Amino acid sequence: MKMPAIALTVLVALGSTALAQQRSGPFTIAESGAGYGSLADAVNAIGAGTGTIVIAPGTYRDCAVQLGGTITYRAATPGTAVFDGGICEEKAALVLRGRAARVEGIVFQNMRVPDGNGSGIRLEQGDLDVTNAMFRNSEEGILTHDDPAHAIRIDQSTFQRLGRCDRDLSCAHSIYVGHYGSLTVTRSRFEAGNGGHYVKSRANRVKIDDNSFDDSKGRLTNYMIDLSNGSAGAITGNEMVQGKDKDNWSAFITVAPEGRERDSSALSVSGNSASFAPGIQRQSTFVANWTDDAVRIGQNKLAAGVKITDRR
């Protein structure tokens, strides 16, 4: 029997409405308009492809593992999408091992796991871009594995009340980057650490520029920037304030304290400031070098008691 055109139109409209209802949720794939009830479902829907997940305002216990593809995770309104304590694989809210990921405007908080490395982001391979994000009140902000062929870029983000050195476990840090090709950190703020370093990196090359490291309310913290095995690149235009309650105040920046694996003579450090929080008088070193590599240290504004460099 031939169905009247008007009836067919109604059925199609009803079917479309039902499909839209099935595909509604706070995690929307921008390219298709499909919504999902969980972040993991949205990630799995993109799979090995390329897509953007737009996250509605709210506080979520969600987490997800990205196994492939190139995915952007974007808050619909910056600062209103909060991932609060949800952990995948006892690692992080986002466990990333795809081709690439980009994180925009998202807040990560209260990440804790048994091994003491609970992170907002655990990057296991691929490129990572983070912009306008916040990491707070967790054991670690961003932690990575090794991937020398790829790059990490962090811009206009905040790292607050992160890190730890307790429970007889290895320390955690605000950012801990493994043997990556490069690390870029720009226009970001680090403050009130709870232990460990603010930036710990084993990347081949770094660009750490125009950031604020405010340790005045830090607790049992260590270095501002730790280049664990040496690095090329540039550290420029950063403001560093060392606080009172530190586990180690002997240096602001370190070069290869865990063994020289690359030449740091192509590392330049200039245009920075280093000082102590009000009321603190002590001796420290701006750039502590565990190698004979001639790090290029230019003009920096150093407070009284801060020596330019030393060999350790």
Side-chain angles (χ1 to χ4, degrees):
M1 181 178 67
K2 186 175 180 181
M3 185 175 293
I6 188 168
L8 181 61
T9 301
V10 170
L11 287 175
V12 170
L14 289 173
S16 298
T17 301
L19 181 61
Q21 289 173 346
Q22 291 170 3
R23 293 285 187 89
S24 65
F27 305 98
T28 302
I29 297 178
E31 291 77 10
S32 67
Y36 294 86
S38 74
L39 179 62
D41 285 345
V43 169
N44 292 337
I46 294 172
T50 298
T52 298
I53 301 172
V54 180
I55 304 167
T59 299
Y60 304 98
R61 295 282 296 178
D62 283 65
C63 65
V65 179
Q66 179 184 336
L67 298 175
T70 298
I71 299 179
T72 295
Y73 303 83
R74 176 183 297 155
T77 303
T80 64
V82 180
F83 287 92
D84 186 2
I87 296 285
C88 281
E89 298 184 345
E90 293 193 342
K91 294 176 181 177
L94 291 179
V95 181
L96 306 174
R97 42 182 182 261
R99 288 192 304 272
R102 181 175 177 85
V103 175
E104 301 179 3
I106 297 173
V107 178
F108 299 88
Q109 64 186 28
N110 302 322
M111 305 296 174
R112 292 173 179 81
V113 297
D115 73 0
N117 286 308
S119 310
I121 297 174
R122 174 76 71 92
L123 177 65
E124 299 189 350
Q125 68 177 39
D127 292 323
L128 173 65
D129 286 88
V130 176
T131 185
N132 199 22
M134 173 174 279
F135 302 81
R136 64 190 181 197
N137 304 332
S138 299
E139 292 168 330
E140 204 127 28
I142 299 173
L143 173 62
T144 89
H145 289 207
D146 300 335
D147 191 348
H150 290 94
I152 299 165
R153 292 168 290 268
I154 300 165
D155 184 48
Q156 290 185 298
S157 295
T158 299
F159 297 81
Q160 181 183 79
R161 296 190 293 276
L162 301 166
R164 42 142 296 280
C165 283
D166 60 4
R167 292 175 277 163
D168 294 322
L169 299 170
S170 297
C171 291
H173 314 278
S174 296
I175 295 175
Y176 186 179
V177 170
H179 293 281
Y180 247 73
S182 66
L183 168 66
T184 299
V185 185
T186 52
R187 300 184 296 174
S188 294
R189 180 171 178 81
F190 298 81
E191 62 185 4
N194 286 327
H197 310 308
Y198 286 96
V199 175
K200 181 180 178 71
S201 173
R202 302 182 193 275
N204 295 334
R205 188 171 187 85
V206 298
K207 178 184 178 183
I208 303 175
D209 178 62
D210 196 23
N211 303 288
S212 170
F213 295 84
D214 183 0
D215 186 48
S216 57
K217 294 183 179 179
R219 178 179 174 274
L220 297 175
T221 53
N222 211 303
Y223 307 129
M224 306 292 187
I225 300 171
D226 175 64
L227 304 179
S228 306
N229 304 119
S231 184
I235 299 173
T236 57
N238 301 286
E239 181 180 356
M240 306 179 188
V241 178
Q242 196 183 89
K244 179 180 180 181
D245 187 6
K246 297 190 70 62
D247 182 58
N248 185 345
W249 60 80
S250 67
F252 286 74
I253 300 169
T254 63
V255 178
E258 297 181 26
R260 181 185 185 275
E261 295 186 11
R262 61 188 59 86
D263 187 353
S264 298
S265 59
L267 175 68
S268 65
V269 183
S270 64
N272 305 282
S273 68
S275 63
F276 304 113
I280 297 174
Q281 293 184 339
R282 62 163 67 116
Q283 303 295 310
S284 186
T285 298
F286 183 50
V287 179
N289 193 344
W290 274 255
T291 78
D292 293 323
D293 299 338
V295 174
R296 294 177 287 179
I297 303 176
Q299 293 295 316
N300 297 278
K301 184 179 179 181
L302 306 181
V306 182
K307 183 167 54 174
I308 296 174
T309 189
D310 58 28
R311 173 67 166 87
R312 301 194 178 182

